[in-house]
């Protein structure tokens, strides 16, 4: 064993989640590299570390630390070095030297016991003296807090947040009610708080635990698309989570209502009685539902703002038609009667919804609306929920389209504790400066994003929402587009005519056949819609490999990485997880020139295609020029964003990913749970995207997954070619299955309440 005692000259790397650090330590004129896990440490501190000297193939000799102790500087030189290291804000090398010259070896005792005497030193006021003493005490307290929290399984990063939130109160809160952490601190969910509570010894049926479990159940439901849950369903799920009888939980609902943590509402839902979609086949029933308050008020505010925007204009139809005829003559645009009606409604509506399937002219209609308002010297803004959808909108219109997040100027301001407070710069106090706002791919917009958008739209600004109501609903909570249409309170133009050019595409024709429940001829020889019959999963995969590596790249003139496999399931023989492992081996096999890193049983390799699987509003990205110099920066990487791994740095434990539009993001290894391989993705994750070609395995699966709107969404993701591989009967069963997974949402009710 080796022992190194010296000063931390530099922290070269630190993982704030687990404390793994790489330190440069100076000891008796020699420099050492120390690697290991350190609870809390700062540059300038004195450390005594015990470990084993190892030889890194790239970075040379380093001490792998097994145990360590932070020691107080024992002589004047050591004290000066620590104070001047930057560890104490406001104290530089010159001031540190003056402090130590004045108090010599007694310096640290003075700071701890008589801090007011620091004002005897030139340049230090009484206020600054107390601040220096406070920082010294906080560092000592912080280290003790880190050690205390790690005994309860809390990561370094969360431990720092907890300490900065509560300070010395932390100890009492942890021992009395650790469930407060889930309410007060981002990143601490119910499960972390519950594990701390278990270690502390809090009873399973405590009031704190049951209330936290009920709220956690509601927030977890939001991750599945619900903004509320039926009371009975909530109680059942919470009981299973907490392992507490339902009767022991009922009394807490009233308390939570009184505390305004939940809202209970009686709402009417339609329950299917057969195989048809709920809006066509079933009976209405009133049930009591429970909201986490935040989602109830999101729906209520959204409904109110929609109502306020929904005003009518009075421009005569003849006048609109005359201007439109002139635009069509100048631009060569040709519109059918429904598209002309859409333009007329856009002119005279504060709020308009345009919906229709593929090939029905939604893009042409958007172009006509843009040209009309531009001719009137009006400011038009375009946006879509994802980067890919915004890029498609830009290409189709010739006008710049942004993601909704960028349109609203999402920004983050750093707090003193290093956390980031996120907000949209565009809001009710600083609305968007536009006469017309057009949002495409509205089926993807959830209730949270919709509320944020509406806050930034002034009454009097026209808001035009475009989307295909038959697509899958948003990944996030809510069923915004469908609820708005079903309310009957807003102007809706439904485009139904398939134009001649689109009608020549079997992708478009068959998508409409699927949606309308009409049979699809899978034996037809087609240039863009192919069905390859294979009976078992291994044979299906073999055919998909041939398509991906040999047939399709040349046929659609694209790189294999641009071809997308879409599958209904995550697990199973044809699920995302297995397919990604297989196709990684074919498209990006191991190579000694490519660095790789394994985490959670998944190997990430330079050159891999990956997808972000959760919204991360705090992640910073930058776009670089060809010399590597940043030319644009921003925040936020979102669920469904795809990229390519460009670099893996195993020493620094970081991975660089390039997303659409050249946005470069650096992930720490501890963040890789936010990424997964993306050679294959679920159909849900493909919403809003378009690919040169898609390959869809079709085999047996759970009935609730194998649905009509799922296969419809998958087929409409392809621009040039759809290849279905599998069993014709399985395809037919999907096309016949109109079952839709129920979403418990109340926007429809809130709209009807406000509209009277």
């Amino acid at each position: 064993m080796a022992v190194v005692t010296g000063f931390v000259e530099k922290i070269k790397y630190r993982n704030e989640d687990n404390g793994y650090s790489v330190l440069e330590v100076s000891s008796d004129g020699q420099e050492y590299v120390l690697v290991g896990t350190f609870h809390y440490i700062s540059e300038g501190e004195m450390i005594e570390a015990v470990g084993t000297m190892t030889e890194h193939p790239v970075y040379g000799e380093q001490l792998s630390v097994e145990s360590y102790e932070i020691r107080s500087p024992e002589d004047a030189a050591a004290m000066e070095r620590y104070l001047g290291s930057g560890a104490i804000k406001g104290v530089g090398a010159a001031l540190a030297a003056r402090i130590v010259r004045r108090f010599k070896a007694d310096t640290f005792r003075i700071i701890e016991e008589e801090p007011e005497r620091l004002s005897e030193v030139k340049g230090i006021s009484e206020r600054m003296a107390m601040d220096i003493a406070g920082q010294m005490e906080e560092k000592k307290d912080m280290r003790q807090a880190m050690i205390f929290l790690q005994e309860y399984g809390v990561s370094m990063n969360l431990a720092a947040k907890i300490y900065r939130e509560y300070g010395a109160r932390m100890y009492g809160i942890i021992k009395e009610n650790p469930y407060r952490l889930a309410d007060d601190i981002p990143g601490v969910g119910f499960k972390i708080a519950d594990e701390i509570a278990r270690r502390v010894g809090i009873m399973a049926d405590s009031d704190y635990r049951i209330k936290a479990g009920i709220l956690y159940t509601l927030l977890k439901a939001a991750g599945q698309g619900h903004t509320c849950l039926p009371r009975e369903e909530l109680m059942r799920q919470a009981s299973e989570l907490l392992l507490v009888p339902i009767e022991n939980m009922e009394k807490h609902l009233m308390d939570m209502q009184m505390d305004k943590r939940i809202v209970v509402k009686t709402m009417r839902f339609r329950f299917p009685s057969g195989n048809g979609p709920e809006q066509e086949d079933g009976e209405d029933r009133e049930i009591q539902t429970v909201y986490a308050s935040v989602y109830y008020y999101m729906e209520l505010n959204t409904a109110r703002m929609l109502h306020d925007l929904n005003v009518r204009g009075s421009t005569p139809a003849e006048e609109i038609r005359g201007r439109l005829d002139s635009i069509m003559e100048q631009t060569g645009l040709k519109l059918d009667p429904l598209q002309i009606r859409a333009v007329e409604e856009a002119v005279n509506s504060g709020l308009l919804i345009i919906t229709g399937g593929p090939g029905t002219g939604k893009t042409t209609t958007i172009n006509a609306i843009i040209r009309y308002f531009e001719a009137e010297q009006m400011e038009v803004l375009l946006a879509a929920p994802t980067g890919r959808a915004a890029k498609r909108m830009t290409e189709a219109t010739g006008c710049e389209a942004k993601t909704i997040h960028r349109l609203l100027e999402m920004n983050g301001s750093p707090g003193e504790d290093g956390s980031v407070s996120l907000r949209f710069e565009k809001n009710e106090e600083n609305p968007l400066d536009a006469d017309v706002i057009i949002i495409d791919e509205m089926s993807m917009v959830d209730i949270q994003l919709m509320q944020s958008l509406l806050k930034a739209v002034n009454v009097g600004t026209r808001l035009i929402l475009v989307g295909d109501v038959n697509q899958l609903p948003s990944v996030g909570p809510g069923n915004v587009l469908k609820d708005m249409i079903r309310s009957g309170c807003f102007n809706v133009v439904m485009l139904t005519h398939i134009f001649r050019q689109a009608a020549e595409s079997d992708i478009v024709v068959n998508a409409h056949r699927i949606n309308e429940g009409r049979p699809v001829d899978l034996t037809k020889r087609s240039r863009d819609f192919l069905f390859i019959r294979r009976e078992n999963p291994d044979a299906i995969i073999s055919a998909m490999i041939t398509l991906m590596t040999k047939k399709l790249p040349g046929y659609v003139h694209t790189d294999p990485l641009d071809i997308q496999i879409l599958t209904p399931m995550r697990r199973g023989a044809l699920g995302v997880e297995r397919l990604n492992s297989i196709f990684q081996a074919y498209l990006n096999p191991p190579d000694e020139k490519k660095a790789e890193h394994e985490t959670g049983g998944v190997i990430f390799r330079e050159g891999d295609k990956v997808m972000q699987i959760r919204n991360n509003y705090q992640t910073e990205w930058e776009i670089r020029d060809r010399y590597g110099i940043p030319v644009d920066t921003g925040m936020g990487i979102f669920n469904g964003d795809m990229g390519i791994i460009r670099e893996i740095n195993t020493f620094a434990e970081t991975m660089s990913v390039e997303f659409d539009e050249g946005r470069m993001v650096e992930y720490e290894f501890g963040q890789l749970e936010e990424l997964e391989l993306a050679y294959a993705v679920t159909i849900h994750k493909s919403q809003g995207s378009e690919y040169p070609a898609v390959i869809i395995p079709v085999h047996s699966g759970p009935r609730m997954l194998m649905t009509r709107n799922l296969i419809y969404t998958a087929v409409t993701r392809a621009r040039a070619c759809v290849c279905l591989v599998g069993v014709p009967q399985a395809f037919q069963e999907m096309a016949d299955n109109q079952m839709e997974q129920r979403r418990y949402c109340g926007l429809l009710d809130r709209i009807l309440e406000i509209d009277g």
Side-chain angles (χ1 to χ4, degrees):
M1 302 294 282
V3 179
V4 172
T5 302
F7 298 95
V8 179
E9 293 279 4
K10 184 178 182 182
I11 299 176
K12 297 181 69 172
Y13 169 75
R14 182 167 177 82
N15 184 319
E16 292 296 346
D17 281 324
N18 58 28
Y20 178 83
S21 306
V22 180
L23 313 177
E24 277 187 8
V25 173
S26 176
S27 176
D28 297 327
Q30 286 189 274
E31 299 294 328
Y32 294 89
V33 174
L34 276 59
V35 295
T37 299
F38 301 87
H39 296 295
Y40 182 74
I41 199 164
S42 57
E43 292 176 355
E45 291 192 297
M46 190 171 186
I47 185 173
E48 182 176 274
V50 179
T52 305
M53 283 295 183
T54 60
E55 187 72 23
H56 191 281
V58 177
Y59 301 103
E61 187 178 59
Q62 53 191 31
L63 181 72
S64 180
V65 176
E66 296 178 15
S67 64
Y68 72 95
E69 181 182 348
I70 303 297
R71 296 175 56 179
S72 295
E74 296 169 352
D75 56 39
M79 292 176 185
E80 181 180 334
R81 187 166 190 158
Y82 174 71
L83 291 172
S85 68
I88 304 299
K89 290 180 183 176
V91 179
L95 185 54
R98 292 204 298 273
I99 294 171
V100 175
R101 267 201 311 271
R102 177 70 180 83
F103 299 112
K104 299 183 174 57
D106 213 20
T107 297
F108 272 38
R109 187 195 66 77
I110 293 292
I111 293 174
E112 187 173 334
E113 298 177 9
E114 304 175 74
E116 66 280 358
R117 288 191 58 193
L118 289 174
S119 61
E120 298 172 15
V121 177
K122 183 181 178 181
I124 298 181
S125 64
E126 287 189 11
R127 181 176 178 180
M128 185 177 180
M130 301 311 292
D131 181 56
I132 292 169
Q135 288 189 59
M136 291 281 283
E137 185 66 23
E138 184 181 11
K139 285 183 177 295
K140 186 169 69 175
D141 290 346
M142 175 77 107
R143 187 173 293 110
Q144 292 172 348
M146 292 290 193
I147 294 169
F148 172 81
L149 288 167
Q150 286 192 345
E151 291 176 3
Y152 297 106
V154 179
S155 73
M156 295 282 187
N157 199 18
L158 286 180
K161 289 182 181 179
I162 292 168
Y163 179 77
R164 288 180 175 123
E165 177 73 24
Y166 301 125
R169 295 183 298 126
M170 173 196 79
Y171 300 96
I173 290 168
I174 292 291
K175 290 178 179 176
E176 293 171 16
N177 178 20
Y179 296 101
R180 273 191 60 182
L181 275 61
D183 291 338
D184 297 343
I185 301 173
V188 181
F190 172 80
K191 290 192 174 180
I192 291 175
D194 201 36
E195 175 60 19
I196 294 171
R198 185 187 67 78
R199 296 190 186 199
V200 170
I202 290 175
M203 299 296 288
D205 61 352
S206 78
D207 291 355
Y208 293 136
R209 183 171 186 266
I210 290 174
K211 290 178 181 178
I214 289 171
L215 194 61
Y216 171 76
T217 302
L218 288 171
L219 297 177
K220 185 180 177 186
Q224 299 165 344
H226 309 293
T227 57
C228 57
L229 281 178
R231 182 181 179 131
E232 291 181 7
E233 180 67 14
L234 169 63
M235 291 290 100
R236 183 189 65 78
Q237 289 188 25
S239 177
E240 291 177 359
L241 170 74
L242 298 167
L243 300 177
V244 171
I246 290 175
E247 55 268 24
N248 290 12
M249 299 189 297
E250 291 282 357
K251 62 182 179 181
H252 296 293
L253 284 182
M254 182 62 72
D255 292 341
M256 294 178 75
Q257 287 183 74
M258 298 284 288
D259 293 339
K260 301 190 184 309
R261 298 175 74 187
I262 63 170
V263 173
V264 179
K265 297 287 289 186
T266 298
M267 298 198 302
R268 183 175 293 274
F269 287 96
R270 175 157 291 187
F271 288 82
S273 58
N275 187 42
E278 61 184 61
Q279 59 266 40
E280 296 176 8
D281 180 20
E283 61 172 344
D284 286 342
R285 276 189 272 158
E286 285 192 346
I287 59 174
Q288 198 172 61
T289 61
V290 183
Y291 284 88
S293 293
V294 62
Y295 286 109
Y296 174 76
Y297 289 108
M298 272 184 202
E299 288 186 346
L300 189 63
N301 291 337
T302 297
R304 176 185 55 77
M305 291 185 286
L306 288 170
H307 174 81
D308 292 346
L309 287 174
N310 193 27
V311 296
R312 291 293 299 173
S314 57
T315 306
E318 300 79 17
E319 184 179 325
I320 298 171
R321 185 60 191 266
R323 294 174 183 171
L324 190 55
D325 286 343
S326 175
I327 290 168
M328 289 193 289
E329 184 177 338
Q330 292 170 11
T331 62
L333 287 172
K334 295 182 179 179
L335 306 180
D336 75 357
L338 279 174
Q339 291 174 307
I340 291 170
R341 183 182 154 228
V343 178
E344 292 172 351
E345 291 292 342
V347 174
N348 278 323
S349 301
L351 179 63
L352 172 65
I353 299 169
I354 300 172
T355 185
T360 55
K362 294 192 295 296
T363 299
T364 301
T365 306
I366 291 172
N367 276 322
I369 291 170
I370 292 170
R371 306 304 167 230
Y372 185 98
F373 286 122
E374 285 182 339
E376 298 295 302
Q377 305 299 308
M378 298 173 80
E379 180 73 19
V380 182
L381 296 179
L382 309 180
T386 67
R388 286 182 172 232
K391 184 178 180 182
R392 286 171 52 201
M393 197 179 189
T394 299
E395 292 169 349
T397 62
C399 302
E400 182 189 14
K402 299 178 179 179
T403 64
I404 298 174
H405 292 87
R406 292 200 80 181
L407 180 74
L408 298 179
E409 297 179 13
M410 190 178 74
N411 200 355
S413 53
E416 292 183 2
D417 63 352
S419 64
V420 178
S421 174
L422 293 154
R423 66 183 185 279
F424 288 115
E425 297 292 343
K426 295 297 182 182
N427 50 43
E428 56 268 60
E429 296 176 0
N430 180 29
L432 291 162
D433 184 14
D435 300 298
V436 183
I437 299 170
I438 304 175
I439 307 295
D440 199 8
E441 295 286 358
M442 258 303 296
S443 63
M444 298 181 67
V445 175
D446 62 27
I447 190 69
Q448 293 164 297
L449 189 56
M450 189 64 179
Q451 178 187 236
S452 297
L453 172 67
L454 293 174
K455 284 181 177 179
V457 180
N458 265 334
V459 174
T461 299
R462 292 172 175 83
L463 180 62
I464 300 169
L465 309 175
V466 184
D468 184 347
V469 74
N470 294 306
Q471 298 279 1
L472 292 167
S474 59
V475 174
N479 217 348
V480 174
L481 180 62
K482 186 170 286 187
D483 279 355
M484 288 179 66
I485 293 173
R486 288 175 59 193
S487 74
C489 296
F490 309 107
N491 291 334
V492 178
V493 177
M494 186 169 291
L495 305 177
T496 56
H497 175 67
I498 303 176
F499 287 84
R500 184 181 61 80
Q501 186 175 356
E504 294 173 0
S505 163
D506 284 327
I507 295 175
V508 172
V509 170
N510 288 335
H512 283 275
R513 285 182 171 274
I514 291 167
N515 191 45
E516 294 162 9
R518 294 189 289 144
V520 174
D521 183 1
L522 300 179
T523 63
K524 178 184 176 183
R525 293 181 64 84
S526 169
R527 60 184 174 82
D528 63 1
F529 191 96
L530 313 173
F531 195 100
I532 300 170
R533 183 168 187 150
R534 295 291 186 272
E535 297 299 327
N536 65 71
D538 287 342
I540 291 172
I541 291 171
S542 178
M544 290 166 63
I545 291 169
T546 301
L547 286 167
M548 179 74 87
T549 60
K550 296 178 181 177
K551 302 290 186 182
L552 283 177
Y555 186 65
V556 295
H557 309 292
T558 194
D559 187 275
L561 288 181
D562 292 328
I563 299 167
Q564 190 61 54
I565 298 169
L566 303 179
T567 180
M569 296 164 289
R570 285 201 55 80
R571 295 180 176 83
L574 293 169
V576 163
E577 293 173 3
R578 182 173 185 233
L579 291 177
N580 272 321
S581 177
I582 291 170
F583 278 85
Q584 180 190 44
Y586 277 91
L587 297 177
N588 191 31
D591 187 327
E592 62 181 16
K593 296 179 181 178
K594 293 182 178 180
E596 58 183 52
H597 174 71
E598 182 176 356
T599 181
V602 176
I603 295 173
F604 290 106
R605 184 175 297 128
E606 289 175 349
D608 273 336
K609 182 178 179 181
V610 293
M611 173 184 277
Q612 176 81 11
I613 59 171
R614 67 184 63 163
N615 289 337
N616 187 329
Y617 300 99
Q618 299 186 27
T619 293
E620 297 180 358
W621 53 260
E622 60 184 29
I623 298 174
R624 304 168 185 165
D625 64 16
R626 59 178 179 168
Y627 302 108
I629 299 171
V631 294
D632 192 10
T633 60
M635 297 185 70
I637 295 293
F638 305 107
N639 193 348
D641 283 355
M642 282 192 181
I644 302 294
I645 298 174
R646 296 302 184 196
E647 182 183 13
I648 296 176
N649 187 326
T650 54
F651 180 72
E653 295 193 339
T654 59
M655 187 166 86
S656 297
V657 179
E658 182 178 357
F659 288 95
D660 291 335
E661 301 171 325
R663 293 172 299 155
M664 295 293 298
V665 175
E666 189 171 278
Y667 291 83
E668 294 179 355
F669 281 178
Q671 297 175 282
L672 296 187
E673 61 186 17
E674 296 185 7
L675 292 171
E676 66 181 20
L677 296 175
Y679 301 99
V681 301
T682 62
I683 296 168
H684 278 88
K685 293 286 190 182
S686 71
Q687 287 174 271
S689 296
E690 185 180 77
Y691 311 97
V694 299
I695 303 172
I696 309 167
V698 182
H699 203 259
S700 58
R703 181 170 171 75
M704 64 181 294
L705 280 180
M706 312 297 281
T707 62
R708 175 181 293 178
N709 68 340
L710 197 77
I711 193 66
Y712 171 78
T713 298
V715 166
T716 55
R717 298 306 90 205
R719 183 165 60 245
C721 189
V722 171
C723 292
L724 299 115
V725 186
V727 181
Q729 181 62 29
F731 172 85
Q732 197 57 54
E733 287 173 359
M734 287 185 79
D736 291 342
N737 181 11
Q738 296 185 70
M739 181 187 298
E740 293 182 21
Q741 192 170 359
R742 169 171 296 283
R743 285 200 167 192
Y744 290 104
C745 311
L747 180 61
L748 172 61
D749 292 65
R750 306 288 85 75
I751 291 170
L752 294 175
E753 285 171 2
I754 288 176
D755 219 59

